[in-house]
Amino acid sequence: MSKTHAAYAPSSDASRRILDEIEEQFRLTKEDLTRITAQFLEDFSLGLREYNHPMAMIPTFVTGVPNGSETGTFLALDLGGTNLRVCEVELLGNHEFVLRQQKYKVSDALKTGEATALFDYLADSVDAFLTEYASAVPSSPSSERGNPFASPSLSEEPAVPLGLTFSFPVEQTALNEGKILTWTKGFAAKNAIGNDVVKLLQDAFDRKHLHVKCVALVNDTVGALLSRAYTGGSCILGSIFGTGTNGAYVERVENIKKLGNSPARQKGGYMVVNTEWGAFNNTRTVLPTTPYDNKLDRQSINPRLQAFEKFISGMYLGEILRNILLSLIDAAPKPLLFNGRSSGPLNTHYGLDTAVMSEVEDAWETGRVSSVPVAAVDSAKSKANGVAATESQPSSVPDWQSTHFTDVDSLSPDDKARLARIQGILVQRLALDPADVSLRDAAIVRWAASLVAHRAAQLSSCAVAAVLVQTERAKLGGGFATDEEKICVGVDGSLIQHYPNFNARLRDSLRELVGEEVEAKVEIGLAKDGSGVGAALCALQATKQGH
């Protein structure tokens, strides 16, 4: 049960009880995880049946994924903030590709001016990129033009396909169609809302006489799925566990009932669905809310929205930890942390970055004897971040569920040295007075950071498990496995790549939800650059689909 009162600790026993109560609030049992995953599946079903639900389950009209044998050169345009990025992806056909890219700044004048000016600038940027990198792609022997992508002298030469990653709300009605619903992130270009973003871009290409065709409108999570499919040979789920979170997976078209009798549904087969799972359980009926989560949500720019994201993504974990630490600093009649003294970063909204949590946990975990085995996964990253290992060298992680400790004197010299490193991190990153940070304080912060991160990884496993069950590759509770040798999952994002043991913790909970046999088949690999490489691969997929 979530506590509603401030921390009151008149005695050492009471202070211990407060820490125990906090730990209890963040602990998730197998039954809790199962209930949350079951709700995920209910929300999947609802979103596939009807429009306008938080779990949007958006049809992407991408009806297949690459297998790594494809070749060719494709372009990507990634617009989502201060910069736009133009990419050229050369597919080598052996699960490998060559990426060339360049960033171009988008001025405030372009962001708020006429839409035609903005899209003309996008086209000019593509033109500039192609001029600069013309030597990268062999030109047609029948043309003397230096730029193989420019308007050809032979009309039969095909236009170069381009995928557009457009990180603003759109209503997508086809793979190459999507109406702009609204602008965000400081953009407010006039005469754009309600128009097809692909047509706006293509009209600009045509005005510039560029021999480029925008064939696909892409979401970066869908791109992550396609990217991993190309490098890994197959993939059923692309997921982002970073600043934000989302997932896209391959669904049977017959299950996307909200498509009605549309040609896409009548055709059958498979389609990639963008879940928008960051908005899962906005009502918080199953998510394990604590007072620290409620405070975060209340003070956020979008209260009662993106609930799941606020429990598991890198943008918010540091803020949850900050709320815990402040409650211990403010404990009465005797403070439980830092002699009751705070600091500028701790008193600032979002002043404790999740990167500080990662640094603290890394200082504690480095060199420790492992006690929890972790299944091997396929990736080029080092074992230290939990995303990589080989079959012959399985990685493992310490027991992060060990309770908080206050008897620092009983620790080994090595553990005391680790706490001393954490002391230094807290003094430096949080601008605390060294006299106010004891080894016990360092131990409490390490414990609290681990609680927050471990819960995030557990909840992340619910999303992955839900997709495995939804696609009939697993049964909730275990006891069922497909004949597939491996189940490929693509992941991207700072948490899964860099946070110590995040992937290992996720796997541990996934094993509880779907059983050891299925979890052992799950191959988690890094999806490279969903918004760039993924968009180019979506252009590939569009050409396969006849666009």
Side-chain angles (χ1 to χ4, degrees), residues 204-272:
F205 286 152
D206 295 343
R207 283 193 295 273
K208 304 290 179 182
H209 304 291
L210 281 178
H211 205 53
V212 175
K213 183 180 180 184
C214 184
V215 294
L217 181 59
V218 194
N219 168 278
D220 61 351
T221 312
V222 176
L225 167 61
L226 299 179
S227 172
R228 182 58 193 161
Y230 189 82
T231 57
S234 67
C235 190
I236 65 148
L237 168 65
S239 50
I240 309 292
F241 296 109
T243 305
T245 185
N246 193 16
Y249 74 100
V250 182
E251 177 63 272
R252 292 179 186 272
V253 172
E254 66 190 53
N255 292 336
I256 313 175
K257 294 182 169 56
K258 64 185 177 185
L259 288 175
N261 293 319
S262 66
R265 185 135 188 266
Q266 290 174 2
K267 189 177 179 181
Y270 293 87
M271 183 182 291
V272 177

Side-chain angles (χ1 to χ4, degrees), residues 72-330:
T73 301
F74 300 87
L75 298 176
L77 181 61
D78 177 12
L79 177 66
T82 305
N83 296 313
L84 70 92
R85 186 167 56 120
V86 183
C87 306
E88 174 195 276
V89 179
E90 183 183 355
L91 304 176
L92 304 180
N94 57 353
H95 304 288
E96 295 180 0
F97 56 80
V98 176
L99 169 67
R100 302 173 186 90
Q101 59 182 328
Q102 184 64 47
K103 288 183 178 179
Y104 301 87
K105 189 168 179 62
V106 183
S107 69
D108 289 340
L110 285 169
K111 291 179 183 178
T112 57
E114 282 291 329
T116 50
L118 173 62
F119 283 89
D120 278 348
Y121 179 71
L122 301 187
D124 285 338
S125 299
V126 172
D127 191 20
F129 174 85
L130 294 175
T131 300
E132 184 177 352
Y133 287 97
S135 60
V137 180
S139 58
S140 167
S142 59
S143 173
E144 295 182 359
R145 288 179 173 271
N147 179 359
F149 298 103
S151 185
S153 57
L154 297 177
S155 59
E156 62 268 20
E157 184 178 334
V160 178
L162 176 143
L164 170 64
T165 299
F166 188 73
S167 301
F168 302 92
V170 296
E171 180 185 338
Q172 192 161 356
T173 51
L175 182 53
N176 59 348
E177 290 177 14
K179 288 183 181 178
I180 302 174
L181 296 177
T182 186
W183 288 111
T184 57
K185 308 176 192 177
F187 280 72
K190 302 174 183 67
N191 300 311
I193 292 175
N195 290 312
D196 179 1
V197 62
V198 174
K199 186 174 189 306
L200 288 170
L201 180 60
Q202 190 60 52
D203 286 348
F205 286 152
D206 295 343
R207 283 193 295 273
K208 304 290 179 182
H209 304 291
L210 281 178
H211 205 53
V212 175
K213 183 180 180 184
C214 184
V215 294
L217 181 59
V218 194
N219 168 278
D220 61 351
T221 312
V222 176
L225 167 61
L226 299 179
S227 172
R228 182 58 193 161
Y230 189 82
T231 57
S234 67
C235 190
I236 65 148
L237 168 65
S239 50
I240 309 292
F241 296 109
T243 305
T245 185
N246 193 16
Y249 74 100
V250 182
E251 177 63 272
R252 292 179 186 272
V253 172
E254 66 190 53
N255 292 336
I256 313 175
K257 294 182 169 56
K258 64 185 177 185
L259 288 175
N261 293 319
S262 66
R265 185 135 188 266
Q266 290 174 2
K267 189 177 179 181
Y270 293 87
M271 183 182 291
V272 177
V273 170
N274 168 21
T275 66
E276 292 294 341
W277 72 33
F280 167 65
N281 200 222
N282 281 342
T283 55
R284 302 190 180 219
T285 53
V286 296
L287 286 174
T289 301
T290 70
Y292 315 106
D293 299 297
N294 287 337
K295 180 172 182 280
L296 181 150
D297 184 56
R298 173 171 53 79
Q299 295 178 334
S300 70
I301 61 170
N302 55 349
R304 301 190 180 278
L305 298 175
Q306 293 298 104
F308 189 61
E309 188 162 85
K310 288 172 181 170
F311 280 79
I312 75 167
S313 73
M315 179 175 178
Y316 299 106
L317 299 187
E319 182 67 1
I320 298 171
L321 176 61
R322 188 181 76 92
N323 288 340
I324 295 173
L325 301 188
L326 287 176
S327 74
L328 298 176
I329 290 169
D330 294 338

Side-chain angles (χ1 to χ4, degrees), residues 399-429:
D399 182 6
W400 45 71
Q401 285 293 68
S402 60
T403 57
H404 52 85
F405 46 83
T406 53
D407 186 10
V408 172
D409 292 337
S410 67
L411 293 175
S412 69
D414 284 346
D415 278 347
K416 287 181 182 177
R418 292 184 179 96
L419 289 181
R421 287 200 296 271
I422 294 172
Q423 268 183 309
I425 292 167
L426 298 178
V427 167
Q428 182 181 7
R429 302 295 188 209

Side-chain angles (χ1 to χ4, degrees), residues 379-389:
S379 165
K381 289 287 179 182
S382 70
K383 286 189 287 183
N385 63 32
V387 183

Side-chain angles (χ1 to χ4, degrees), residues 48-65:
L48 290 170
R49 288 198 313 269
E50 302 169 359
Y51 288 96
N52 302 317
H53 288 284
M55 186 84 84
M57 305 300 281
I58 300 167
T60 67
F61 302 94
V62 176
T63 57
V65 299

